[in-house]
C-alpha cells in the first residue's frame, strides 16, 4: 500500500474512533473472525502476495470486485474506502455486527443518503487487527496529524527487523498505530506505545483494545517525555525522516536534514536503555563528507558512546539532489524551493541519503573488547533473525580477539565457508601461462558482501568445510604451493577475522 502526502494539510482534527466498552470490541473481533477477515484471505482474494502489496479498486485492482459475502463488504468498506448501502451491509454483516462497528466509530453515514462508509482503514496484519487513518480525504486535504497505515512497504521493513524474542519492557516511540508495541506485547513484554500527537495515541489505544492487549500502555508526549525516567530492555522506532524544515505532516517530516527526530531517539538512549538492551530503528539518514552515518550516530551518544555497539544495515541510498529535482519536475514542490534545498545540502555536507535500519545495543557490564561499529548492506531477504545472528557472531569474534593472543585463536577454530558464497577468478596470461590474478567474492544475502581478495583465498574457501582448523588448511595449501609462505602472507589472523566478520567464513554451531 502507498500513501500520497503531497497535498496541503487540514490541521489537527478529532479522531473518529470511540473507545467503547470491552464487549463492543469483542463483538467486532468476533465479526471479523467469522467473516474470515485475515491477511491470508486478503492476499488470496486480491491476488497479491501479502497485505503490504494491497491495491484498492481505485488504484486499478480488478480481483475481488463483487460484494457477495461479509468478507467482501469489509474489504470494500475498510480497504477500498468505498461507500455501501446500509441495508446491504446489515444483510451481509448482520445487524448486531453492523451496530458494533458503528458504536466504535468505525462506520458512519456517507454523503449519499442511505449509504455508509468506513471512517478509517481497518485491516489484518501479522495476526493483528489494526486501524489507521483513511488515505482519501475530502478535497484531498488530510490532517497534519494523520495516522500512517501499518501496511506500507516501509512499515513492512520496520517490523521485519524487530526481534520476536521476549523481553520484560518494550517502548515504541513515534508509535502511530502502535503496531510494534502490539507485536512486542505478544511475547509477554509490557509494551509502551508513545507518540507526539493525541490522534495517534487515540488510535494506538483503540488498537490495543481491539486486539485485547491488556499489557500495552499508551501515552502522549515528545519522545521520552511520555515515559518520564523509566528504562526499557528494548526500544523500537520508525520515526519521520523526510527532509523538510517546516513540519507539515507529523508522521513524515523530520526537520531540515530529516534526522531531527532520529537524533532525539538516540541521544535519549543513555538515560532510557538498560544494559544488554537494544534500540531497533528503521528510517532514512545521511552520510556526510568524511562522516558516514554510523560515526555520526556515535557522536549523538555523547560521553556514553563506549557503552554501546552500533550496527548499521542500509538497504538503499540516493543522491538527494536528484530526489529534490524529481520532486520539482513532478510538481510536488515549487522550483523556488530547489535552490534552498541544494544550499542546505552543501551547508550540511550531505552526500547521500541512506535508507535502512540500525541497532544500537547497550553493552552489558563486563563485555569484552572495544565497542563494535559495523556497517553491512541489508538485502530484501534480511530479517530480524539474521540481524541477531550477525550481532551474535560479531560479538563472539570480538570477545575472542580481545583476549591475549585471541585473534590467533581464530585459526584454531574449524571454519566453514558460507554456502551463500560465490567467487569469480580472473586469469591473465603471464609468461605463456594462465595465472589467477584477481578474485572477487560475493555473499548475496541476507547482507550483501562484495570483496576483492587475493586469488589464493579461493582455494582456502574451497577447503574450509568445518572439519579442520583454519591454520591446518592454510598450511596444507602452503605445502602444495597454492598459498604464499608466511613471509609473503603477512599477518594471517586479521585476514581470517575479516573473512569471519564478513560472513564469508563461519564457525559451525557458533563460537
Amino acid at each position: 500500500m502507498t500513501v500520497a502526502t503531497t497535498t496541503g494539510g487540514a490541521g489537527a482534527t478529532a479522531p473518529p474512533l470511540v473507545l467503547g466498552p470491552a464487549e463492543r470490541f469483542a463483538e467486532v473481533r468476533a465479526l471479523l473472525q467469522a467473516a474470515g477477515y485475515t491477511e491470508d484471505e486478503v492476499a488470496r482474494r486480491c491476488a497479491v502476495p501479502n497485505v503490504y502489496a494491497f491495491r484498492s479498486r481505485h488504484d486499478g485492482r480488478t480481483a475481488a470486485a463483487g460484494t457477495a459475502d461479509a468478507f467482501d463488504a469489509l474489504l470494500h468498506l475498510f480497504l477500498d474506502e468505498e461507500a455501501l448501502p446500509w441495508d446491504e451491509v446489515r444483510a451481509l454483516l448482520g445487524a448486531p455486527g453492523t451496530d458494533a462497528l458503528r458504536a466504535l466509530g468505525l462506520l458512519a453515514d456517507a454523503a449519499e443518503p442511505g449509504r455508509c462508509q468506513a471512517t478509517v482503514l481497518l485491516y489484518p496484519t501479522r495476526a493483528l487487527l489494526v486501524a489507521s487513518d483513511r488515505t482519501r480525504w475530502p478535497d484531498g486535504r488530510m490532517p497534519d496529524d494523520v495516522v500512517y497505515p501499518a501496511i506500507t512497504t516501509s512499515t513492512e521493513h520496520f517490523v521485519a527487523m524487530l526481534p520476536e524474542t521476549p523481553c520484560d519492557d518494550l517502548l515504541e516511540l513515534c508509535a502511530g498505530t502502535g503496531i510494534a508495541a502490539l507485536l512486542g506485547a505478544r511475547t509477554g513484554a509490557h509494551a509502551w506505545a508513545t507518540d507526539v500527537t493525541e490522534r495517534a495515541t487515540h488510535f494506538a489505544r483503540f488498537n490495543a483494545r481491539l486486539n485485547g492487549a491488556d499489557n500495552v500502555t499508551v501515552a502522549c508526549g515528545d519522545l521520552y517525555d511520555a515515559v518520564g525516567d523509566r528504562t526499557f530492555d528494548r526500544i523500537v522506532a520508525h520515526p519521520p525522516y523526510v527532509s523538510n524544515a517546516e513540519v507539515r505532516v507529523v508522521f513524515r517530516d523530520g526537520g531540515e536534514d530529516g534526522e531531527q527526530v532520529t537524533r532525539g531517539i538516540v541521544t535519549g538512549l543513555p538515560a532510557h536503555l538498560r544494559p544488554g538492551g537494544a534500540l531497533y530503528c528503521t528510517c532514512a539518514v545521511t552520510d556526510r563528507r568524511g562522516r558516514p552515518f554510523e560515526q555520526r550516530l556515535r557522536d549523538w551518544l555523547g560521553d556514553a558512546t563506549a557503552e554501546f555497539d552500533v550496527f548499521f544495515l542500509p538497504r538503499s541510498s540516493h543522491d538527494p539532489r536528484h530526489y529534490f529535482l524529481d520532486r520539482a519536475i513532478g510538481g510536488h514542490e515549487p522550483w523556488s524551493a530547489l535552490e534552498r534545498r541544494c544550499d542546505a545540502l552543501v551547508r550540511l555536507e550531505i552526500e547521500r541519503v541512506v535508507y535502512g535500519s540500525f541497532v544500537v545495543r547497550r553493552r552489558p557490564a563486563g563485555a569484552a573488547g572495544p565497542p563494535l561499529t559495523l556497517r553491512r548492506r541489508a538485502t530484501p531477504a534480511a530479517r530480524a533473525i539474521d540481524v541477531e545472528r550477525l550481532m551474535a557472531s560479531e560479538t563472539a569474534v570480538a570477545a575472542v580477539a580481545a583476549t591475549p593472543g585471541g585473534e590467533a585463536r581464530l585459526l584454531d577454530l574449524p571454519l566453514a565457508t558460507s554456502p551463500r558464497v560465490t567467487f569469480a577468478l580472473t586469469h591473465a596470461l603471464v609468461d605463456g601461462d594462465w595465472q589467477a590474478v584477481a578474485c572477487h567474492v560475493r555473499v548475496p544475502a541476507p547482507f550483501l558482501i562484495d570483496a576483492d581478495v587475493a586469488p589464493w583465498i579461493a582455494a582456502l574457501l574451497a577447503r574450509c568445510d568445518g572439519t579442520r582448523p583454519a591454520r591446518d588448511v592454510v598450511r596444507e595449501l602452503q605445502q602444495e604451493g597454492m598459498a604464499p609462505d608466511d613471509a609473503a602472507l603477512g599477518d594471517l589472523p586479521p585476514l581470517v577475522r575479516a573473512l569471519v566478520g564478513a560472513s564469508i567464513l563461519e564457525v559451525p554451531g557458533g563460537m
Side-chain angles (χ1 to χ4, degrees), residues 380-429:
R383 295 293 183 268
I385 191 170
D386 302 308
V387 177
E388 299 305 303
R389 287 171 178 164
L390 174 67
M391 294 194 299
S393 174
E394 289 292 329
T395 301
V397 170
V400 170
T403 62
E407 208 166 52
R409 286 174 51 204
L410 292 174
L411 301 180
D412 298 322
L413 297 175
L415 301 178
T417 299
S418 167
R420 296 187 178 97
V421 168
T422 62
F423 69 86
L425 279 172
T426 300
H427 289 75
L429 196 61

Side-chain angles (χ1 to χ4, degrees), residues 227-444:
V227 296
D229 59 359
R230 290 179 176 84
T231 60
F232 300 87
D233 304 295
R234 187 173 297 158
I235 300 174
V236 301
H238 184 28
Y241 54 77
V242 173
S243 171
N244 204 343
E246 178 187 357
V247 177
R248 292 180 291 176
V249 180
V250 178
F251 82 78
R252 180 193 66 188
D253 299 332
E256 184 179 40
D257 61 359
E259 295 179 346
Q260 177 178 318
V261 181
T262 306
R263 273 193 299 276
I265 291 169
V266 173
T267 57
L269 293 179
H272 295 280
L273 186 63
R274 297 170 186 164
L279 161 73
Y280 297 82
C281 185
T282 296
C283 61
V285 293
T286 60
D287 285 335
R288 308 196 185 187
R289 187 177 306 152
R291 294 178 297 154
F293 169 70
E294 61 271 24
Q295 292 182 9
R296 293 190 306 107
L297 185 153
R298 285 210 163 277
D299 294 338
W300 297 348
L301 291 167
D303 294 339
T305 185
E307 300 176 27
F308 294 88
D309 296 323
V310 174
F311 302 88
F312 182 35
L313 310 167
R315 292 176 64 99
S316 61
S317 68
H318 65 265
D319 186 330
R321 295 171 298 179
H322 297 162
Y323 170 76
F324 293 132
L325 179 60
D326 288 342
R327 286 184 61 81
I329 292 173
H332 303 304
E333 284 196 13
W335 283 96
S336 58
L338 183 60
E339 183 177 0
R340 183 181 72 254
R341 294 278 202 181
C342 291
D343 287 345
L345 296 175
V346 172
R347 173 167 44 82
L348 297 172
E349 300 183 320
I350 294 174
E351 294 183 337
R352 304 286 294 179
V353 172
V354 188
Y355 171 76
S357 301
F358 63 88
V359 181
V360 182
R361 182 180 60 189
R362 193 162 206 162
R363 295 160 65 83
L372 300 174
T373 304
L374 176 74
R375 180 172 181 147
R376 192 68 56 80
R377 171 76 179 273
T379 67
R383 295 293 183 268
I385 191 170
D386 302 308
V387 177
E388 299 305 303
R389 287 171 178 164
L390 174 67
M391 294 194 299
S393 174
E394 289 292 329
T395 301
V397 170
V400 170
T403 62
E407 208 166 52
R409 286 174 51 204
L410 292 174
L411 301 180
D412 298 322
L413 297 175
L415 301 178
T417 299
S418 167
R420 296 187 178 97
V421 168
T422 62
F423 69 86
L425 279 172
T426 300
H427 289 75
L429 196 61
V430 179
D431 297 330
D433 188 22
W434 291 103
Q435 296 185 16
V437 296
C439 179
H440 183 82
V441 176
R442 182 180 179 88
V443 182

Side-chain angles (χ1 to χ4, degrees), residues 178-262:
I179 178 67
L182 292 171
L183 291 171
R186 291 200 307 211
T187 69
H190 184 90
W192 284 69
T194 72
D195 200 284
V196 72
T197 72
E198 291 284 358
R199 186 183 189 88
T201 53
H202 188 86
F203 269 81
R205 287 191 183 98
F206 184 93
N207 288 328
R209 296 190 187 188
L210 182 59
N211 289 278
D214 297 330
N215 54 335
V216 174
T217 299
V218 180
C220 185
D222 188 3
L223 297 180
Y224 301 100
D225 290 349
V227 296
D229 59 359
R230 290 179 176 84
T231 60
F232 300 87
D233 304 295
R234 187 173 297 158
I235 300 174
V236 301
H238 184 28
Y241 54 77
V242 173
S243 171
N244 204 343
E246 178 187 357
V247 177
R248 292 180 291 176
V249 180
V250 178
F251 82 78
R252 180 193 66 188
D253 299 332
E256 184 179 40
D257 61 359
E259 295 179 346
Q260 177 178 318
V261 181
T262 306

Side-chain angles (χ1 to χ4, degrees), residues 424-471:
L425 279 172
T426 300
H427 289 75
L429 196 61
V430 179
D431 297 330
D433 188 22
W434 291 103
Q435 296 185 16
V437 296
C439 179
H440 183 82
V441 176
R442 182 180 179 88
V443 182
F447 304 103
L448 180 64
I449 295 291
D450 277 305
D452 292 317
V453 299
W456 76 271
I457 296 296
L460 174 68
L461 299 180
R463 298 197 187 184
C464 283
D465 59 4
T467 64
R468 295 181 294 164
R471 189 188 307 275

